[in-house]
Amino acid sequence: RKKSTMGRGSLIVFEGCDRAGKSTQCVKLVEALENSGTPAKLWRFPDRGTAIGGIISQYLEKKCELEDHAVHLLFSANRWEAVPKMKEHLLQGTTLIVDRYAFSGVAFTAAKQGFGLDWCRQPDIGLPKPDLILYLTLTPEEAAKRGGFGGERYENTPFQEKVAKNFEHLKENNWRVIDAGKDMESLHEEIQEITRAVIKDSKDKDIEKLWI
Ligand code: TMP
Ligand code: MG
């Protein structure tokens, strides 16, 4: 299909700690955009549906062990394999609402012993650059109130605290920090307002490359 005459869609990424409500807000945002006539599609990383994503899923479920560098590169490959389709959607005017992206990739691996932010960023350099990163934050107290972790790898408080520290180092001017402690509906309204402004603003801009 041909390039949209309405301008391109936006690449909107949600990042943040576990239990901040990222996935819930992603779904609500896509629904709201679609209902108001803005083409939008939900996307998520890792995409567990591909061959690479299947290995990642096994690793997260602790059904297999993988060397830490190797699994970092698989997470990155799982994004790169999605790029042609992502670009196609964006150029056709569809806004992509993405649940985690390269920032999770860096923040999680860099929380492991012996990994620096700089090494972790390398494989994701050049990915389509998000127009907006909505960073959902939650105080440890609020997080605790929301109930226990699941049983997947990385789902423990000390690790998540390191991840949160790493996210702080990745913030740039296209990040918006959102207090996820608010009720779901107020949060949704705030997110919609920010997102709609960015969608309008990025229509005629080129898609830039991440970390270049
Ligand atoms: P999920 O819970 O959103 O499906 O994410 C699965 C886990 O994978 C979560 O703990 C974050 C982690 N992760 C990485 O370690 N590297 C990555 O590149 C991504 C996207 C997620
Ligand atoms: Mg999870």
Side-chain angles (χ1 to χ4, degrees), residues 15 18 22-23 44-48 56 59-60 71-72 75-76 78-79 99-109 112 124 152-155 159-160:
E15 287 284 8
D18 255 14
K22 281 191 305 309
S23 305
R44 74 171 310 156
F45 292 111
D47 172 2
R48 302 187 192 215
I56 292 171
Y59 173 79
L60 289 170
V71 76
H72 182 75
F75 273 109
S76 178
N78 186 236
R79 282 182 282 279
D99 193 347
R100 296 190 193 278
Y101 200 52
F103 315 99
S104 275
V106 175
F108 277 77
T109 300
K112 295 178 176 179
D124 286 304
E152 287 207 326
R153 206 180 288 266
Y154 307 144
E155 294 183 333
F159 195 83
Q160 297 277 330

Side-chain angles (χ1 to χ4, degrees), residues 31-181:
E31 251 175 43
L33 291 172
E34 288 261 88
N35 287 341
S36 66
T38 306
K41 196 171 164 51
L42 184 64
W43 213 269
R44 74 171 310 156
F45 292 111
D47 172 2
R48 302 187 192 215
T50 69
I52 294 168
I55 304 172
I56 292 171
S57 188
Q58 295 249 316
Y59 173 79
L60 289 170
E61 292 168 25
K62 300 176 183 169
K63 288 179 181 158
C64 72
E65 293 301 319
L66 288 166
E67 200 276 334
D68 289 325
H69 299 79
V71 76
H72 182 75
L73 297 173
L74 288 179
F75 273 109
S76 178
N78 186 236
R79 282 182 282 279
W80 280 108
E81 67 180 338
V83 167
K85 269 194 195 146
M86 291 173 78
K87 279 191 170 162
E88 202 180 304
H89 283 297
L90 292 170
L91 294 176
Q92 282 168 8
T94 301
T95 286
L96 298 180
I97 305 301
V98 188
D99 193 347
R100 296 190 193 278
Y101 200 52
F103 315 99
S104 275
V106 175
F108 277 77
T109 300
K112 295 178 176 179
Q113 199 64 46
F115 285 84
L117 294 172
D118 209 51
W119 186 88
C120 293
R121 247 194 293 256
Q122 300 306 311
D124 286 304
I125 291 176
L127 281 175
K129 181 181 173 174
D131 297 294
L132 170 70
I133 293 102
L134 293 158
Y135 178 46
L136 271 51
T137 61
L138 208 59
T139 63
E141 296 76 44
E142 281 160 341
K145 272 190 245 161
R146 296 189 177 189
F149 284 110
E152 287 207 326
R153 206 180 288 266
Y154 307 144
E155 294 183 333
N156 65 82
T157 304
F159 195 83
Q160 297 277 330
E161 280 171 357
K162 286 183 201 159
V163 171
K165 275 193 190 139
N166 290 335
F167 274 128
E168 292 300 319
H169 294 288
L170 300 176
K171 282 186 198 164
E172 292 182 50
N173 54 18
N174 56 350
W175 285 55
R176 290 292 297 266
V177 182
I178 312 278
D179 172 13

